[in-house]
Amino acid sequence: MKKDRRSGGRKLWGGRFGGGTDGEFFDFQRSLDYDFKLAEYDISHSLIHIGALLDAGLLSGKEYSSLKKALRSLLKRVLSEGPGFIVSAGAEDIHSYIHGQVEKEAGAAAMKLHTLRSRNDQVAFDEKWYCLKECAGTALLLDSLILSLKTLSDRHRGSLFLGYTHTRRAQVITFDLYLGAFGSMFSRDRQRLEDYFGRLRVCIGAGALAGTSLGEGSYANALRAVVSGNSGKIMPVDNSVDHVSDRDYIIELLSILSIIQMHLSRLAEDFILYSGSEYALLCLPDEFCTGSSLMPHKKNPDLLELVRGNTGRVYGSLVWLLTLMKGLPLSYNRDMQFDKEPLFGAVENLKSELSLLCRFLPLVKVNKQAVEAALSDKTFYATELAEWLVREKKLPFKTAHETVGALILAAESSAKGIDGLKEEELRRIHPALNRAVVGRVMNPVYATGAGKPASGNKKNGRKPAGFRLPSVRI
Ligand code: ARG
């Protein structure tokens, strides 16, 4: 291994090169700045790998022990402090960094650490494990978000709300039904994460692309034995060429995250609109709003705007990955190094948004006066009246629809709307109509009574499955 001129570390690939690497190019191709986040998984790869090397007779017991000791002490530090301390090391990437640290601690035994393996295998293993863990973490946050929607709903038990289509007032609904719509979206998202988690396997043993030749298959058998009992999530590769080429699992996770982000953005948009003075249906908590440096009266919904704005970043990550992988020849290509920033960025953004919204949502309040004022407009209950005509007077729905349409048209030219229409005018529209009927049917209590969905936040009774992550004993 050649000493690296810049970092003072050793390259994993220097032997066939006569001179040094161009300094500017070395910096350009380094990935430690972002792949340091894979430290925990990369050390786990090494721990599994040395177990298999030992069983395959490619390491002595003594070599194995000293490698394991070095790896375990580094893993302990990474897990207790977080991997941030690694960024300032000058190494080329996380794999070279860890190798360098093991060399320092374990000396000569470290020369055997890279036997039969390649960074192509390591990086795919690391990223898959990262995706598993972050999928589980995101699902937990989604559970909390669903709970905070439930808390918000419980705090407004029985509250009515305005239902819109085409951003025009449509029908009265309960606040619970409204919030339950978001609950349903996030439950579907959680199911998507659960399905993804159930399918993902973290594979190991691909070599550079062709599997391993040394040890006549005994390394592969040893790998199988080492990973057995690890919740079935870690396993030897099936097709080694595919393993080092595949980034479907990142694209798939980013697709799920993009759908979650789309749902968050819709929630943000609704709450931004409904809390503005034009709608004034919701009041947002001061703690999550900001003011204007010029206009003293402003209270801006910045958290929601940033959540909405994050959509560009999360969708961008998905498009980034799809474009990165398009047309790449088999198998591994260095282009794939650029898969990490979009993955990490989307995961971290999503997790921050979910965590903030969990604390924000229960503090939102419904502006009851504004809702009541809006609900006093009888045109809101046109559909209820049409349905009453069908149920009580046995009118065909189309006739009922036309009848109520005529009522609305007449009300538009009356100064007091529907309330301004006289008995004979109502009777002229349809003999079944009179002021008593209009008063009884065209109001929020009737509209949210019998025949309406009672709750939007009902539990569906299915206990969500747990997320059992693999672990490497240290
Ligand atoms: N930093 C590389 C990546 O993230 C690791 C694999 C490097 N492999 C190689 N053959 N240069 O993709």
Side-chain angles (χ1 to χ4, degrees), residues 81-96:
E81 276 177 45
F85 68 90
I86 296 172
V87 191
S88 52
E92 179 181 337
D93 56 25
I94 187 61
H95 324 292
S96 316

Side-chain angles (χ1 to χ4, degrees), residues 4 21 51 80 93 102 118 120 124 137 147 183 186 207 219 257 265 287 290 297 330 366 386 397 402 406 464:
D4 180 70
T21 309
S80 63
D93 56 25
V102 175
S118 156
N120 303 352
L147 263 184
F186 296 126
Y219 171 81
L257 298 187
S265 180
E287 303 92 296
T290 67
H297 66 291
L330 291 181
V366 173
F397 183 74
E402 277 167 5

